């Protein structure tokens, strides 16, 4: 018997309300075949409606549509990560009905085993609309099977639908396990700002993977910055400021650290993406990758950005735009904000003897831009742009189609700044 | 050394070892009889190389590479939106909430001013207060964002202006000059003006004439554009539309004129183009061989509200048939444009309108049905008949419903009827386009207990924007019973981003200079050329038997007969 006692349709405590996901099905399985059988059982039901009063009348509404638009695979190394991801995905049920498989590798030693919880949530967008349902499979794999996640996941994918892998922890780029999974995926969703240390080694490995596999990389750390990018781009929408854009001489990004020791260990993926985005949009290339800043300028790179000496003074690099060098500075300052949070982006441009300085800062709900032209305050503007939640970011990751050339260029230049791609 | 370091203009395309620097003018064995200017290109190669060099030397001045990949690849230039009719209903309900929303989402330039023009005695503050009340009522996203509203409203200024007073327009020039100068402080001032006519249609010609008289139509070589947005109705028949086009054309070039039909800004209408031309599977069956007929419905459950005066002069044919319905029809029936630019799109739409067969008086009597609602029940509430509405003549002959059968006389659509209907006080508010496909040529499952309906594709425009496909499926069981099932795509449940209001889309497009979703002069005249004979014929007919449908029903019985006589029926909505 594959399923546990009481498995199957779930009677909700109260009638469904618009935009609130309702658990409609719950069962359990211990092999891939059993999981497939359970999925078949769910969708063989023409009606997941529930007879609340046990009077032979379905009090709940019919399941109107099962409209999977993608396969979403979450690799969660810890149970709490899996639960957090499941909660976020559940909120997207109505908007992006997907088959979600949350995989949690367990003890790799001993015989192979598999434990699967299968649930279906339904949501109705409005009171008068049909429900949309989607299933989630929580898989825990132990023993040998935990080392072959691609073999576990492949049979559970819905045919022809794109596969997105959300790796909320740190993906082991370059390992056979990661390589096998990436080979099956169309899109990889990560958050580079949560990686250990400076995050730069991982960033270089991810850039290498993005070159090797035809996957679209969607890094929350990069997408979170879109509000900054809108504000920075808006400066150069002003016709009189536009000519300065191709004459940028300095890009300085300041990020927060909690204490003086934080500078060496803070993740600097987000601040680095700012410089890489501007550089890649303007066609810059790397002359000198990031190295510790000394009084005289960037120190010679060691090739291991995460182990740079004197990180407290910040890191410096040199880009080249046309024939002119552009200095890049990424420096820490003490702040109450989470370590690695971008606090300020400064641009300095010099065109025909005239200087333009732009200063961009952000807070919870807005981004502020100030510009000085030849020392004279020329622009001050606030952009309403709230900081986005993980739910917003995942929704955008799912909606985004294909490879975003801007993201590709930014990641490639960021990796170059960090010392080049690494396997 | 990188390639960019070598002047491309002088590179030769020969052997790699050949000199990379070419002479300024290629040596020529046969001297030219007359010397050309020194740097004029002479050979095909010279021209090509010169062009290459030119391209390299002068990148587009207005490109902002940081915009790529952002929500908008460019945002509008700094500008002043001059809103005529700012104290009216349209400005309060639609234009200001749309502008506020664009501002709130950072889609307007920093150097942006709304110069509100009206006849009433307001000042800046009192108008802002009124606008705020309207925004609180009609804005798409509520509650208002205080900071965003403050910064937006600080850009609103009021100027009193009687449209028939020439001195008021002289003052307008002074005001706009001052605003342009102010905007120029930060380097963005280029004197771009968008004139938005949200006034009574009778004032259009006067305002346009005055703008021309004081020179506010002149575009400047240094980038100061002038555009004019004109709200519908554009004319009240063919003659008046031609006359108005002529008046507008005396002052503004066609490329400066943006005639709004807000239906074209709706998400589903725009999606119709993507649906048709962005998918490979529909276009091959989008023709007379596969489609039986097409129904387009624009139904309203409301009556004339407090617009009795306006509606008495327009009626359903002028208010909806001439514009919304014919626009939707042209989008459904048009050929694929070669590009997605405004003129390519509008050229194809015009072809459809011109291909609509002219209706003779006999055809008008048989193929066009008009109606007027009497008292009835809508949404469980009793409602008055049209003749009992305020500001409506108790003997009114104005139609509140019209249904018509048109054909498009071209290769693709020959013989396929297009049934269009619109009306007020119908059972529900719903707009949709239904493509009814032909029956299967051979009924294989004739033993089925139910006869499945032919395939149908319904494109819902409002209120529940989406697309539905109906097809036959086998009923589970031992026998072969076939039933119709539907596959439904709803915008709200597939995308997290809220659809913008049509006015947001259209105003932003006008500010960006994209006229794709606006109607061109020839489109407007073409549509009037189809509708005016109908209205004229009605004038010649005896007094209609109005009211001829109860409020809360789907129009007069004759509208059903229009389809029933051909063995069809209106789709149940």
């Amino acid at each position: 018997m594959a399923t546990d006692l009481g498995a199957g349709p779930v009677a909700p405590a109260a009638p469904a309300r618009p935009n609130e996901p309702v658990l409609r099905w719950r069962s359990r399985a211990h092999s891939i075949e059993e999981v497939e059988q359970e999925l078949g059982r769910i969708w063989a039901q023409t009606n997941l409606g529930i007879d609340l009063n046990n009077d032979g009348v379905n009090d709940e509404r019919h399941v109107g549509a099962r409209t999977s638009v993608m396969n979403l695979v979450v690799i969660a190394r810890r149970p709490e990560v899996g639960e957090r991801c499941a909660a976020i995905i559940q909120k997207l049920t109505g908007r992006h009905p997907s088959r979600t498989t949350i995989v949690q590798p367990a003890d790799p030693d001993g015989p192979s085993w598999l434990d699967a919880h299968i649930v279906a949530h339904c949501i109705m967008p409005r009171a008068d609309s049909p429900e949309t349902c989607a299933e989630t499979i929580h898989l825990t794999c132990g023993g040998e099977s935990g080392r072959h996640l691609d073999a576990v996941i492949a049979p559970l994918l819905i045919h022809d639908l794109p596969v997105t892998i959300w790796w909320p922890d740190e993906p082991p780029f370059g390992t056979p396990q990661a390589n096998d999974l990436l080979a099956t995926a169309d899109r990889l969703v990560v958050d580079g700002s949560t990686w250990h240390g400076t995050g730069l080694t991982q960033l270089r490995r991810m850039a290498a993977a993005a070159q090797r596999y035809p996957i679209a990389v969607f890094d929350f750390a990069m997408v979170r910055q879109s509000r900054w990018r809108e504000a920075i781009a808006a400066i150069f929408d002003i016709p009189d400021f536009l000519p300065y854009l191709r004459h940028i001489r300095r890009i300085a990004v300041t990020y927060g650290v909690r204490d003086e020791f934080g500078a060496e260990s803070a993740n600097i993926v987000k601040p680095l993406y700012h410089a890489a985005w501007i550089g890649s949009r303007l066609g810059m290339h790397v002359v000198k990758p990031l190295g510790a800043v000394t009084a005289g300028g960037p120190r010679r790179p060691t090739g291991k950005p995460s182990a740079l000496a004197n990180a407290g003074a910040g890191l410096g690099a040199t880009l080249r735009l046309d024939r002119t060098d552009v200095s890049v500075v990424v420096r820490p300052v003490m702040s109450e904000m989470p370590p690695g949070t971008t606090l300020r982006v400064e641009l300095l441009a010099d065109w025909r003897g005239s200087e333009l300085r732009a200063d961009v800062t952000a807070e919870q709900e807005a981004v502020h831009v100030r510009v000085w032209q030849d020392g004279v305050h020329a622009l001050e503007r606030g952009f309403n742009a709230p900081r986005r939640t993980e739910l917003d970011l995942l929704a955008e990751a799912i909606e985004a189609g294909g490879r975003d050339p801007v993201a590709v260029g930014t990641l490639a230049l960021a990796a170059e700044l960090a010392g080049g791609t690494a396997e | 050394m990188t390639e960019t370091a070598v002047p491309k203009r002088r590179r030769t395309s020969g052997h790699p070892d050949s000199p990379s620097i070419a002479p300024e003018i290629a040596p020529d064995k046969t001297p030219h009889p007359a010397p050309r200017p020194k740097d004029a290109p002479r050979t095909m190669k010279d021209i090509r190389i010169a062009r290459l060099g030119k391209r390299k030397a002068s990148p587009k001045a207005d490109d902002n590479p940081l915009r790529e990949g952002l929500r908008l690849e460019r945002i509008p230039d700094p500008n002043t939106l001059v809103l005529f009719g700012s104290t009216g209903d349209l400005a309060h309900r639609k234009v200001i909430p749309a502008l506020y929303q664009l501002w709130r989402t950072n889609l307007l330039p920093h150097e942006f001013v709304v110069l509100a023009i009206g006849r009433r005695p307001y000042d800046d503050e009192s108008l802002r207060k009124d606008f705020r009340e309207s925004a609180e009522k009609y804005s798409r996203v509520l509650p208002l964002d205080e900071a965003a509203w403050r910064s937006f409203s600080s850009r609103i200024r009021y100027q009193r202006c009687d449209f028939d007073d020439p001195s008021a327009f002289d003052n307008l020039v002074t005001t706009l000059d001052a605003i342009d100068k102010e905007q120029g402080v930060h380097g963005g001032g280029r004197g771009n003006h968008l004139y938005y006519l949200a006034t009574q249609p009778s004032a259009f010609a006067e305002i346009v004439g005055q703008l021309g008289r004081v020179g506010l139509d002149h575009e400047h070589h240094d980038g100061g554009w002038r555009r004019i947005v004109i709200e519908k109705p554009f004319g009240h028949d063919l003659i008046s539309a031609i006359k108005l086009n002529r008046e507008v054309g005396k002052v503004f070039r066609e490329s400066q004129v943006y005639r709004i039909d807000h239906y074209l800004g709706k998400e589903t209408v725009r999606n119709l183009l993507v649906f048709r031309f962005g998918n490979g599977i529909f276009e091959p069956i989008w023709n007379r061989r596969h489609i039986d007929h097409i129904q387009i419905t624009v139904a309203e459950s409301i009556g004339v509200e407090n617009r009795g005066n306006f509606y008495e002069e327009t009626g359903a044919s002028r208010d909806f048939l001439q514009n919304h319905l014919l626009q939707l029809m042209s989008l459904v029936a048009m050929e694929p444009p070669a590009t997605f630019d405004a003129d390519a799109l509008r050229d194809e739409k015009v072809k459809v309108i011109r291909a609509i067969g002219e209706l003779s008086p006999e055809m008008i009597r048989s193929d066009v049905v008009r109606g007027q609602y009497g008292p009835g029940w809508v949404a469980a509430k009793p409602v008055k008949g049209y003749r009992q509405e305020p500001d409506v003549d108790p003997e009114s002959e104005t139609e509140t419903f019209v249904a018509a059968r048109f054909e498009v006389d071209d290769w693709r659509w020959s013989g396929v009827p297009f049934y269009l209907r619109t009306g007020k006080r119908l059972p529900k508010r719903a707009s949709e386009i239904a493509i009814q496909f032909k029956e299967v040529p051979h009924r294989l499952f004739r033993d089925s207990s139910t006869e499945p309906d032919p395939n149908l594709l319904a494109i819902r425009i409002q209120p529940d924007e989406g697309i539905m496909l109906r097809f036959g499926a086998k009923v589970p069981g031992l026998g072969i019973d076939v039933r119709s099932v539907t596959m439904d795509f709803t915008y709200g449940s597939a995308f997290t981003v809220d659809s913008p209001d049509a006015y947001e889309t259209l105003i932003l497009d006008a500010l960006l200079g994209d006229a794709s979703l606006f109607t061109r002069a020839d489109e407007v005249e073409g549509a009037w050329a189809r509708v005016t004979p109908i209205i004229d014929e009605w004038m010649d007919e005896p007094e209609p038997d109005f009211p001829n449908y109860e409020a809360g029903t789907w129009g007069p019985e004759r509208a059903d007969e229009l389809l029933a006589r051909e063995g069809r029926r209106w789709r149940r909505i």
Side-chain angles (χ1 to χ4, degrees):
Chain A
M1 181 71 183
T3 56
D4 286 358
L5 280 177
V10 175
R17 289 195 297 187
N19 287 317
E20 287 186 12
V22 177
L23 179 67
R24 293 290 199 199
W25 181 277
R26 180 168 47 205
S27 60
R28 199 165 174 186
H30 301 289
S31 70
I32 293 296
E33 292 75 21
E34 287 175 6
V35 175
E36 286 177 314
Q37 277 174 23
E38 284 306 292
L39 292 170
R41 277 184 69 207
I42 294 177
W43 301 116
Q45 306 283 316
T46 53
N47 177 6
L48 281 183
I50 301 300
D51 176 6
L52 286 173
N53 306 320
N54 205 21
D55 56 4
V57 178
N58 258 325
D59 303 294
E60 280 296 302
R61 45 192 318 109
H62 287 249
V63 173
R66 178 211 176 193
T67 45
S68 294
V69 295
M70 65 182 300
N71 295 288
L72 179 59
V73 178
V74 183
I75 311 292
R77 299 211 155 264
R78 289 163 292 148
E80 63 272 22
V81 174
E83 281 164 23
R84 182 170 57 84
C85 295
I88 293 170
I89 292 160
Q90 196 181 309
K91 288 179 188 157
L92 290 174
T93 301
R95 294 194 178 277
H96 299 283
S98 314
R99 171 172 293 177
T100 304
T101 310
I102 300 174
V103 190
Q104 192 196 328
D107 181 9
D109 299 321
S112 285
W113 58 271
L114 184 146
D115 185 26
H117 292 260
I118 301 124
V119 295
H121 284 93
C122 299
I123 194 167
M124 53 181 186
R126 292 186 322 277
D128 60 344
S129 59
E131 287 187 347
T132 309
C133 302
E135 67 268 31
T136 306
I137 306 153
H138 297 258
L139 275 178
T140 311
C141 313
E144 188 72 9
S145 64
R147 291 201 286 270
H148 297 282
L149 293 184
D150 58 315
V152 174
I153 290 161
L156 300 177
L157 299 176
I158 301 176
H159 300 192
D160 294 328
L161 290 183
V163 179
T164 294
I165 294 184
W166 181 15
W167 217 312
D169 292 312
E170 210 151 316
F173 291 115
T175 62
Q177 185 195 28
N179 288 347
D180 290 345
L181 278 170
L182 293 179
T184 63
D186 298 286
R187 199 176 305 162
L188 172 68
V189 179
V190 294
D191 186 351
S193 64
T194 62
W195 294 339
H196 79 277
T198 60
L200 299 189
T201 307
Q202 278 289 80
L203 183 85
R204 294 163 62 205
R205 288 182 180 147
M206 182 166 77
Q211 282 177 5
R212 183 170 171 190
Y213 300 102
I215 49 168
V217 173
F218 193 96
D219 189 346
F220 286 175
M222 194 190 297
V223 183
R224 271 199 197 97
Q225 295 173 335
S226 57
R227 61 185 193 141
W228 290 78
R229 292 201 285 269
E230 296 256 1
I232 293 169
I235 297 170
F236 300 100
D237 286 330
I238 295 171
D240 281 10
F241 296 162
L242 181 59
Y244 292 90
L245 184 58
R246 299 205 66 83
H247 298 273
I248 286 181
R249 297 291 164 257
R250 187 166 184 268
I251 303 167
V253 187
T254 309
Y255 64 95
V257 289
R258 284 283 160 82
D259 53 48
E260 58 191 291
F261 306 109
E264 290 191 31
S265 58
N267 180 300
I268 58 166
V269 170
K270 283 196 284 189
L272 183 59
Y273 275 149
H274 282 294
W277 168 67
I278 295 168
S280 63
R281 287 302 84 220
L282 294 175
M284 296 182 193
H285 61 273
V286 178
V287 177
K288 281 184 189 166
L290 283 176
V293 172
T294 60
R299 184 179 280 181
R300 201 181 158 136
T302 63
K304 283 188 177 179
S306 56
L308 288 166
N310 194 21
L315 303 173
T318 306
L319 293 171
R320 183 160 291 165
L321 173 60
D322 299 329
R323 291 177 203 169
T324 315
D325 284 354
V326 179
S327 79
V328 174
V329 179
V330 181
R331 64 176 173 224
V333 296
M334 304 275 269
S335 162
E336 292 300 308
M337 298 297 284
T341 303
T342 307
L343 302 176
R344 183 181 299 271
V345 176
E346 294 163 276
L347 302 176
L348 183 69
D350 186 359
W351 178 59
R352 292 185 181 169
S354 168
E355 183 191 87
L356 188 87
R357 189 158 67 83
D359 183 72
V360 185
T361 53
E363 52 194 49
Q364 187 66 30
E365 295 290 326
V367 181
H368 300 283
V369 170
R370 276 171 296 170
V371 177
W372 292 265
Q373 198 173 16
D374 295 324
V376 179
H377 190 207
L379 175 72
E380 177 138 16
R381 186 171 182 188
F383 291 84
N384 300 294
R387 193 169 277 149
R388 287 192 288 174
T389 63
E390 219 169 9
L391 178 67
D392 300 330
L393 294 168
L394 183 64
E396 188 174 331
I398 290 172
E399 274 173 19
R403 281 184 140 196
D404 168 17
V406 176
V408 170
T410 304
L411 176 60
L413 194 69
E416 287 300 313
L417 279 167
T421 54
E423 288 297 326
Chain B
M1 183 182 235
T2 60
E3 268 212 340
T4 49
V6 179
K8 290 232 171 172
R9 194 167 63 86
R10 299 183 174 192
R11 267 189 99 182
T12 62
S13 56
H15 190 272
D17 293 333
S18 64
S20 63
I21 306 296
E24 183 71 31
I25 298 169
D28 203 336
K29 287 173 187 170
T30 51
H32 289 289
R36 292 185 176 203
K38 194 181 171 186
D39 51 355
R42 295 186 176 189
T43 64
M44 285 297 284
K45 189 175 80 179
D46 286 339
I47 294 168
R48 181 180 59 77
I49 291 170
R51 282 185 179 173
L52 210 63
K54 198 174 169 190
R55 258 183 243 143
K56 184 75 192 165
S58 54
K60 256 178 80 183
D62 55 353
D63 275 356
N64 177 355
L66 299 186
R67 275 272 155 214
E68 193 185 339
L70 300 182
R71 285 175 304 164
L72 277 183
E73 299 251 322
R74 64 193 178 98
I75 62 161
D77 305 321
N79 70 83
T80 301
L81 189 148
V82 185
L83 180 58
F84 290 93
S86 63
T87 57
D89 195 48
L90 181 69
H92 280 255
R93 288 169 74 109
K94 293 291 181 187
V95 180
I96 290 297
L99 286 171
Y100 158 70
Q101 187 62 21
L102 291 172
W103 179 263
R104 192 186 72 82
T105 49
N106 308 315
L107 294 173
L108 292 178
H110 184 253
E111 293 76 14
F112 175 71
V113 173
V114 178
L115 181 60
I117 308 287
R119 298 170 200 252
R120 296 187 203 170
Y122 276 101
D123 57 23
D124 291 355
E125 275 315 310
S126 55
L127 185 72
R128 287 171 191 166
K129 194 164 158 277
D130 269 17
F131 277 160
R132 185 190 166 106
E133 282 170 19
S134 302
E136 278 172 345
K137 231 191 274 182
Y138 302 115
S139 183
R140 185 164 62 85
V141 179
L142 289 171
L144 292 188
D145 178 327
E146 275 303 325
W149 176 261
R150 255 200 318 276
S151 64
F152 170 67
S153 66
S154 70
R155 284 163 168 79
I156 300 173
R157 302 178 195 183
Y158 184 70
Q159 178 150 333
R160 198 170 169 187
C161 172
D162 275 328
F163 305 145
D164 49 2
D165 174 9
S167 67
F169 282 83
D170 294 330
N171 294 339
L172 181 60
V173 175
T174 313
T175 308
L176 283 170
D177 280 348
I179 292 171
D180 290 347
K181 211 169 179 182
E182 265 174 49
Q183 289 197 351
V185 170
H186 291 154
R190 287 291 184 278
N192 300 310
H193 302 159
L194 181 77
Y195 308 111
Y196 196 118
L197 308 193
T199 62
Q200 289 292 331
S202 53
F204 291 169
E206 180 69 49
I207 295 170
V208 169
Q210 290 289 355
L211 290 172
R213 185 186 64 76
V214 295
L216 284 175
D217 57 317
H218 294 167
E219 295 199 320
H220 294 264
H221 68 279
D222 61 349
W225 49 253
R226 306 283 185 268
R227 296 175 193 143
I228 186 163
V229 173
I230 304 178
E231 273 287 343
K232 82 173 183 74
F234 199 87
H236 55 86
D237 58 16
L238 179 59
I239 302 290
S240 62
I242 292 172
K243 199 172 157 202
L244 183 53
N245 272 335
R246 201 171 290 160
E247 293 300 316
V248 173
K250 281 181 198 167
V251 178
F252 293 97
R253 280 175 286 111
E254 181 60 29
S255 60
Q256 293 175 279
V257 183
Y258 293 73
R259 295 173 192 82
I260 272 198
D261 181 342
H262 72 268
Y263 252 62
L264 297 183
K266 286 183 180 287
E267 199 69 15
T268 320
V269 175
R270 294 192 298 155
N271 188 38
L272 182 58
L273 294 170
V274 176
F275 184 77
R276 281 196 61 196
F277 305 127
N279 292 293
I281 60 170
F282 299 111
E283 205 48 30
I285 55 170
W286 210 263
N287 55 48
R288 59 190 296 275
R289 289 183 59 205
H290 300 278
I291 293 176
D292 179 73
H293 72 278
I294 291 172
Q295 298 180 14
I296 303 177
T297 301
V298 175
E300 291 191 303
S301 57
I302 57 167
V304 292
E305 308 286 281
N306 51 359
R307 299 197 310 153
N309 276 332
F310 165 79
Y311 207 79
E312 277 287 273
E313 290 175 18
T314 52
S317 6
R318 289 188 175 101
D319 195 27
F320 273 79
L321 178 64
Q322 181 272 338
N323 38 65
H324 302 330
L325 281 168
L326 287 182
Q327 282 294 324
L328 292 178
M329 181 174 162
S330 63
L331 287 169
V332 171
M334 68 191 260
E335 293 296 323
T339 63
F340 197 57
D341 71 49
D343 273 330
L345 197 67
R346 297 189 294 186
D347 285 346
E348 297 304 332
K349 281 163 60 191
V350 168
K351 283 183 202 165
V352 173
I353 289 170
R354 285 185 185 149
I356 295 174
E358 276 191 33
L359 298 180
S360 64
E362 294 73 37
M363 288 166 79
I364 290 170
R365 281 193 288 277
S366 68
D367 289 357
V368 185
V369 177
R370 58 178 163 156
Q372 187 191 78
Y373 64 84
W377 286 73
V378 175
K381 284 184 189 154
V383 297
K384 292 178 201 164
Y386 176 70
R387 289 176 174 179
Q388 289 81 52
E389 300 274 14
D391 301 324
V392 170
D393 178 358
E395 302 293 317
S396 173
E397 294 178 17
T398 300
E399 80 285 356
T400 60
F401 176 96
V402 63
R405 179 189 187 281
F406 288 118
E407 286 197 17
V408 178
D409 294 332
D410 66 10
W411 193 284
R412 184 189 284 259
W413 295 112
S414 181
V416 177
F418 285 72
Y419 300 104
L420 278 50
R421 66 173 164 170
T422 181
K424 289 202 174 287
R425 286 287 186 226
L426 300 184
K428 66 202 277 194
R429 173 175 168 257
S431 301
E432 70 156 46
I433 298 162
I435 319 289
Q436 176 77 64
F437 290 92
K438 290 188 171 172
E439 299 259 7
V440 289
H442 172 60
R443 298 192 74 89
L444 191 62
F445 305 109
R446 63 189 68 189
D447 295 336
S448 171
S449 59
T450 51
E451 275 196 19
D453 298 315
N455 297 126
L456 179 120
L457 183 75
I459 300 163
R460 293 188 305 271
I461 296 160
Q462 61 185 23
D464 188 17
E465 296 186 310
I467 291 168
M468 185 276 283
L469 178 68
R470 182 178 71 198
F471 57 94
K474 180 187 169 299
V475 178
L478 296 175
I480 302 248
D481 270 353
V482 183
R483 295 259 172 86
S484 290
V485 293
T486 60
M487 208 157 59
D488 214 333
F489 156 74
T490 307
Y491 253 86
S493 66
F495 299 107
T496 49
V497 181
D498 286 338
S499 299
D501 180 76
Y503 274 86
E504 290 168 38
T505 303
L506 294 171
I507 292 172
L508 187 61
D509 279 359
L511 290 173
L512 287 166
D514 180 354
S516 311
L517 300 175
F518 295 85
T519 43
R520 214 168 48 187
D522 50 355
E523 277 183 274
V524 172
E525 289 173 18
W528 275 121
R530 296 294 164 267
V531 173
T532 303
I534 297 171
I535 297 168
D536 288 348
E537 178 60 25
W538 287 343
M539 301 293 178
D540 296 337
E541 281 185 1
E543 188 185 333
D545 183 21
F546 282 171
N548 59 353
Y549 72 98
E550 257 182 54
T553 66
W554 283 104
E557 278 178 23
R558 272 203 59 221
D560 293 334
E561 289 162 13
L562 189 68
L563 276 76
R565 69 181 191 218
E566 294 174 328
R568 301 183 176 108
R569 61 183 168 80
W570 289 105
R571 194 174 116 70
R572 192 167 52 232
I573 294 177

